[in-house]
DNA sequence: CCGTGTGAACTACTTCACAGCC
DNA sequence: GGCTGTGAAGTAGTTCACACGG
């Protein structure tokens, strides 16, 4: 393949683009067809400068002196983020958190489909979770192949997480969202994002003491 | 001399300190009494330089040529983060996510006690969740006072979140962890952190398309 | 005129490299 | 000798301010 220049979006821009997308949807729901960086930035909770700078990474989609066409801009951001395609998600770990995530609205919307939920615990295997049934984690390879999983969500204890990441890497699952409270090593080419709930609470504790 | 006496830890440092704390606990569990920035940094998944720089914000607690005393450093970080005191957490929203969070191990450890779970839905009120029962959100003020709540976790739909933040502010709850997929306005003096699960998935989708 | 798009200035954070001390 | 602690250098991200074009 011909090498395109590695023009990857900065991490921070990427995170905000998802917020603009939601903000645009909110504006569209209000019946607005056009908007400006000021209005959109307010809705997304950022300042207008950074919004315009972020959008400049995608090219020029506004009109000077006027603003942006809501639907057009939303469509463009969606395409850039890869949300025009279908994402098939497997949840690893059918404990409280895993089960809650499988039904979470944010996970089932916008092209993300939870296709499977797996666990090691024999007591959980076969149990219904929404429209799915818990499958044994020993069948991971089979499930990933059958459902064409491309995103995995790790809702397992810290000790189990690294082994699963390694297995997923072998199965060419290249995107993982981990809730395990441990740093994980990932092979190059795999994308990992962590959500660490107890870290968030600890940060709040510090801020509360400060303030 | 700087104008302000109280120099606050950088946000990024703060987040890593919580990781060092976990890493130190892991080392202590292995029976180690002393460690070095190299070992600790590896366990925490960061590089040694930034670790030493982070610790320098807390003052000098290592010994040149030797390293750090595990328990001493852990104790010091804990104190800095305000983890020597008791934190009383209320969970707002008793849906799948709220119920899962109330039992989440990371939430119940290290001084964080889930004292109450509340919801608007009459069908849920009175239902048992672990050792608690769901209480009506109309009783928020009473519950906050009774349990001396100082941290609230928002696990409600986006539309309800802002009103709850405002109510919490009136009740002097100064720290909020929100799972609502919306930017929220907070009064000065209130600390808000957001965990946005669908944003995380969207970022992964983009990264997967890129790679 | 008005709001976008963007270089330039600024701020925050990370890494380097080595002086300082045990 | 070896590892900490820290200025200095480097990098990433944000805000400013204004030229540009509908």
């Amino acid at each position: 393949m011909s090498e395109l220049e590695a023009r990857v979006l900065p991490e921070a821009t990427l995170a905000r683009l998802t917020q603009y997308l939601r903000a645009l949807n909110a504006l569209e729901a209000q019946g607005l067809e056009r908007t400006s960086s000021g209005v959109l930035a307010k809705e997304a909770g950022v300042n207008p400068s950074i919004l315009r700078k972020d959008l400049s990474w995608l090219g020029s989609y506004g009109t000077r002196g006027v603003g942006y066409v809501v639907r057009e801009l939303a469509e463009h951001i969606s395409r850039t983020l890869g949300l025009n395609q279908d994402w098939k998600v497997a949840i690893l770990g059918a404990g409280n958190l895993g089960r809650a995530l499988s039904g979470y609205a944010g996970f089932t919307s916008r092209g993300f489909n939870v296709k499977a939920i797996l666990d090691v615990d024999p007591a959980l295997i076969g149990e219904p979770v929404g429209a799915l049934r818990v499958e044994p984690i020993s069948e991971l390879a089979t499930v990933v192949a059958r459902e064409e999983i491309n995103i995995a969500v790790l809702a397992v204890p810290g000790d189990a997480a690294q082994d699963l990441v390694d297995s997923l890497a072998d199965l060419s699952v290249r995107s993982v969202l981990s809730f395990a409270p441990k740093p994980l090593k990932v092979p190059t080419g795999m994308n990992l994002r962590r959500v660490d709930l107890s870290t968030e609470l600890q940060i709040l504790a510090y801020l509360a003491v400060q303030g």
Side-chain angles (χ1 to χ4, degrees), chain A:
Chain A
M1 293 291 165
S2 58
E3 279 297 321
L4 292 178
E5 193 57 35
R7 198 174 53 93
V8 173
L9 299 175
E11 188 80 11
T13 292
L14 192 45
R16 282 189 301 265
L17 284 175
T18 67
Q19 308 304 304
Y20 305 155
L21 201 49
R22 175 169 45 231
L24 286 165
N25 288 333
L27 294 179
E28 191 171 15
Q30 290 166 35
L32 293 171
E33 289 185 9
R34 296 160 164 283
T35 188
S36 67
S37 63
V39 171
L40 184 54
K42 192 175 172 203
E43 181 72 31
V46 302
N47 83 33
S49 286
I50 196 78
L51 184 149
R52 294 201 303 277
K53 182 77 94 185
D54 286 338
L55 295 183
S56 78
W57 285 88
L58 317 188
S60 207
Y61 279 79
T63 308
R64 291 171 193 229
V66 180
Y68 305 91
V69 176
V70 172
R71 172 165 284 284
E72 197 175 286
L73 185 57
E75 181 57 30
H76 188 53
I77 295 176
S78 265
R79 240 191 342 265
T80 304
L81 293 180
L83 301 179
N84 50 337
Q85 78 175 80
D86 241 43
W87 295 96
K88 288 146 190 163
V89 179
I91 295 184
L92 277 50
N96 286 325
L97 187 61
R99 290 201 302 274
L101 293 174
S102 73
Y104 187 65
F107 272 44
T108 52
S109 67
R110 209 178 286 292
F112 296 101
N113 303 298
V114 177
K115 292 293 201 177
I117 180 165
L118 303 90
D119 205 293
V120 264
D121 184 353
L124 290 174
I125 292 164
E127 288 291 303
V129 174
L132 302 170
R133 279 181 190 277
V134 178
E135 301 186 67
I137 217 138
S138 55
E139 293 297 310
L140 183 62
T142 313
V143 171
V144 166
R146 185 189 72 216
E147 303 292 348
E148 301 178 299
I149 297 301
N150 36 31
I151 295 184
V153 175
L154 279 189
V156 299
D159 298 333
Q162 185 64 62
D163 283 352
L164 287 176
V165 164
D166 297 343
S167 304
L168 289 165
D170 291 343
L171 297 168
S172 304
V173 175
R174 303 215 341 277
S175 292
V176 176
L177 178 57
S178 171
F179 288 83
K182 271 207 176 171
L184 300 171
K185 295 236 169 37
V186 293
T188 49
M190 179 181 246
N191 305 300
L192 177 87
R193 298 203 44 106
R194 286 186 49 199
V195 172
D196 188 333
L197 303 175
S198 67
T199 288
E200 296 298 333
L201 279 192
Q202 290 176 31
I203 292 173
L204 281 173
Y206 171 79
L207 294 175
V209 168
Q210 277 312 295

